[in-house]
Every structure is written in C-alpha cells, then in structure tokens.
Amino acid sequence: MRPRIAIDAMGGDEGARIMVAGAALARHRHEGFQFLFVGDETRIREALKNHPNLNAASEILHADDIVSADAKPSQALRSSKKTSMGMAVNAVKIGEVSAAVSAGNTGALMAISKLALRTMPGIDRPALAALLPTMKDSDVVMLDLGANAECDSRNLVQFAVMGAAYSRIMHGFEKPLVKLLNIGTEDAKGTGTIQGAAQALYQADGLAMNFQGFTEADKISTGDVDVIVTDGFSGNIALKALEGTARFVTDLLRRSFLSSLRSKIGFLISRPATEMLRNHLDPNNHNGAVFLGLNGVVVKSHGSADEKGVANAVEVAARLVEDSILERISQDLAKIGPLEVAEAAAK
C-alpha cells in the first residue's frame, strides 16, 4: 500500500517552503510516497519549483484560510471547512488520503481531528504520543503529552494499549515494556487513578505488552522502559522539563567552551563527541507526534521543525499507515475484551 499523505502546507513557522521541502526529502528516501498539499495554491506551486521530484507525486488542494498559532480550538472548529488544517484532516475522513501531517496549532489540530475522525471503538479519548530520545539505541514512547489534562484509570489503560501498539510498529518489539509514570516505584505510591490503572493492567490477560508497574520522571531518558504512560497534564510538564534541560545542557557546554582559549582548544578536541550529543538531542531527529485512538492517522510536526524534521514526521505517518496502526489497536483491545476499570482508593 503506497501511502498518500495530506500535508497542511501552511502550518509551522515557515509554512509552505519547509513543509514542501520536508515532503521532498521524505519522497527522496521513499519513492512510493504520494502527497496532497493543502493551502495557498500560489505559495505551494512556488515552493514546488525547487523540488521537481515531487511534481509527479503531488496534488494541490487550495485553502482560503489558515489556523493561526494563537487560535482557540473553538475558533479553529468554526472555520475548519476552509482552513488548510481542517481540509487536510477532512481528506483523511473521506478517504482521499491515508494520513495527515500538520505543524500548526496543536490544540486546534486535536479538536479538528477528534471532531472529524471520532475515536475508535473501545477508546474514550485520543492521546498525543511521541518518541523521546534515551541513553540507549531505541527511543521511548510517551503518552499522553497534552491532549487530556485530566484522565481516569480507564483512559490510562487505553493509553497503555495504544502506546504498546505504537512501540511495536516503530521498534519491532513483540511485547514492549510498559510502565505508568508515578511519584515512586513502590506499589503503594500514587493516586487512586494510577493505582486503578495498574491493577487493571496487572490483571488483564492477552495484552501485547509487558507491564511492570511504575517508573519515575528521572528514568524517562534511561532507555529502560519502552512505553511510559501518564495523563496529559503530567506528560506535558515532563516533556517541557526534558526539552528545557536539553537546551540548558547544550547552552552551558557552548558557554563553557567559549570561556577561554584553553576551553576553545578543548572544544576542538572534543568536537566529535559534542556533535554526537547535539545530533542525539536534536528534536528534528525525533519529530512527529501522533494522535492515537482516532479513526485515522494524524501526525503533529513541531512548528519550528526544519525540512529534516518534517520529513521524519511524514515518515512516521507513512509507517503507521503501512503497518496498520488502527487495526493493531483494535485487535489488542479485542484480545482483552470488556475491561472493568475502577479507581483504587489512594493508599
């Protein structure tokens, strides 16, 4: 199945130029990719002039409007039929494309996608999942990263099922190691919501995962866990803390290396190591968060992503389509059947 992907060409900090360039890079890596660019036709055609390899693989759907970076989800919903973001998601809904990629407003994209595509049977709420770098070779899947500020135990169980399916596709693990983010690893730690989710996951049969209880935030980057599950409030805070720490470390190293002649010489000697660190922490290498749990594939690219980052987001979308993420989640939910999840009393 050759994936055909709708690109919201007007989303992101630089709009059509970067979105088209990223699609061109993805097409260079995977010749079978096909694209539907949605947005201002004049600007898209101008951007396509620099990428002749896309001409035979692309169509353009003109959109009169865009979703602004500061638009509220309710505003975006009202105008979705004429915005590039809304029309790209609608193309998934009506089956014109296999997936949609946007670098626009996250809240608006979530609202538009949820209304247009609805949640899958057995899923109460979609979750925003992403791959985060670790000390080991494989990234960790973490969800939810901000789609749901408040979650109950049932939501967390569903997130675990979806995250495990995502990890199996992206990393090829037969049974990914899954843990819930908590304030401690002891069985007695955590809220009733977290305790209830853990009890349900321990008791469920047939899950395509290896559930092993709790992990703490300082273990997110160790690579010892394949999937970390949490509510959107805690997940978004953890994500921003990780991003801020990465910037702090790289800025501190840069400042230290420029502090004296000896430090500059030391930088030249250690440059291969620092370049490896910079590359490993570069968010463009891990770009492409996905809204799991919808009746369609929608991938969120970071607004500041460069063409390499956009290409990675496109490749994530294609991978999920090619490996049938929706079918995998449905099959996993069917294996465990109706799951009664009750919030435990906090200990």
Side-chain angles (χ1 to χ4, degrees), residues 19-344:
M19 299 305 291
V20 171
L25 179 57
R27 167 76 177 177
H28 177 74
R29 296 171 178 170
H30 309 273
E31 292 185 2
F33 288 6
Q34 303 285 320
F35 298 101
L36 174 67
F37 291 102
V38 187
D40 185 294
E41 184 173 1
T42 300
R43 294 172 63 182
I44 294 171
R45 290 198 182 282
E46 186 65 28
L48 282 170
K49 289 179 181 179
N50 298 318
H51 305 283
N53 70 314
L54 280 180
N55 290 334
S58 304
E59 292 184 29
I60 298 174
L61 178 61
H62 178 74
D64 292 322
D65 204 355
I66 65 172
V67 175
S68 64
D70 58 354
K72 294 181 179 180
S74 57
Q75 295 173 318
L77 284 173
R78 286 194 294 269
S79 61
S80 63
K81 290 184 179 180
K82 62 179 182 178
T83 62
S84 58
M85 180 186 290
M87 292 170 67
V89 173
N90 187 66
V92 179
K93 176 183 177 180
I94 63 179
E96 286 191 4
V97 297
S98 308
V101 175
S102 175
N105 182 316
T106 304
L109 183 61
M110 177 79 259
I112 289 172
S113 300
K114 186 174 180 180
L115 181 63
L117 302 175
R118 305 295 181 179
T119 53
M120 300 173 59
I123 298 296
D124 298 325
R125 297 182 181 182
L128 183 61
L131 298 170
L132 305 181
T134 71
M135 294 293 292
K136 296 187 178 178
D137 292 336
S138 60
D139 297 336
V140 61
V141 173
M142 189 165 175
L143 72 168
D144 179 23
L145 295 178
N148 306 280
E150 296 182 3
C151 298
D152 59 23
S153 297
R154 184 179 180 85
N155 297 145
L156 295 180
V157 171
Q158 293 170 359
F159 294 171
V161 171
M162 295 190 296
Y166 185 34
S167 179
R168 296 205 309 279
I169 287 176
M170 300 307 293
H171 296 133
F173 299 140
E174 183 177 350
K175 283 197 170 186
L177 176 59
V178 178
K179 292 189 178 184
L180 294 166
L181 187 65
N182 203 348
I183 58 173
T185 59
E186 301 87 348
D187 290 340
K189 289 291 181 73
T191 63
T193 297
I194 296 174
Q195 289 283 328
Q199 290 176 15
L201 288 167
Y202 275 129
Q203 294 169 6
D205 294 324
L207 289 175
M209 70 176 78
N210 177 16
F211 178 70
Q212 292 191 10
F214 306 130
T215 188
E216 295 178 276
D218 64 337
K219 300 296 192 297
I220 292 175
S221 301
T222 62
D224 296 328
V225 185
D226 301 321
V227 181
I228 296 177
V229 179
T230 185
D231 61 86
F233 184 83
S234 303
N236 192 264
I237 290 176
L239 176 65
K240 296 299 172 56
L242 288 169
E243 291 175 342
T245 301
R247 287 194 297 269
F248 170 74
V249 171
T250 53
D251 289 347
L252 188 62
L253 283 173
R254 186 181 301 109
R255 187 182 305 176
S256 298
F257 282 132
L258 297 175
S259 62
S260 67
L261 178 59
R262 178 178 294 180
S263 296
K264 292 177 182 178
I265 295 173
F267 168 71
L268 293 175
I269 296 173
S270 61
R271 189 166 185 173
T274 56
E275 282 297 306
M276 183 176 67
L277 173 65
R278 184 186 66 80
N279 183 67
H280 190 64
L281 295 178
D282 185 354
N284 287 296
N285 292 330
H286 311 276
N287 189 45
V290 59
F291 293 121
L292 294 176
L294 297 173
N295 289 301
V297 175
V298 178
V299 172
K300 171 67 174 71
S301 172
H302 199 287
S304 62
D306 61 15
E307 63 183 74
K308 180 174 65 175
V310 172
N312 284 340
V314 169
E315 289 169 353
V316 168
R319 184 86 174 269
L320 295 178
V321 170
E322 291 170 339
D323 288 346
S324 306
I325 182 67
L326 305 187
E327 287 80 0
R328 285 186 181 234
I329 292 174
S330 295
Q331 291 167 6
D332 291 348
L333 289 171
K335 287 178 182 177
I336 61 176
L339 188 59
E340 294 297 328
V341 182
E343 301 209 0

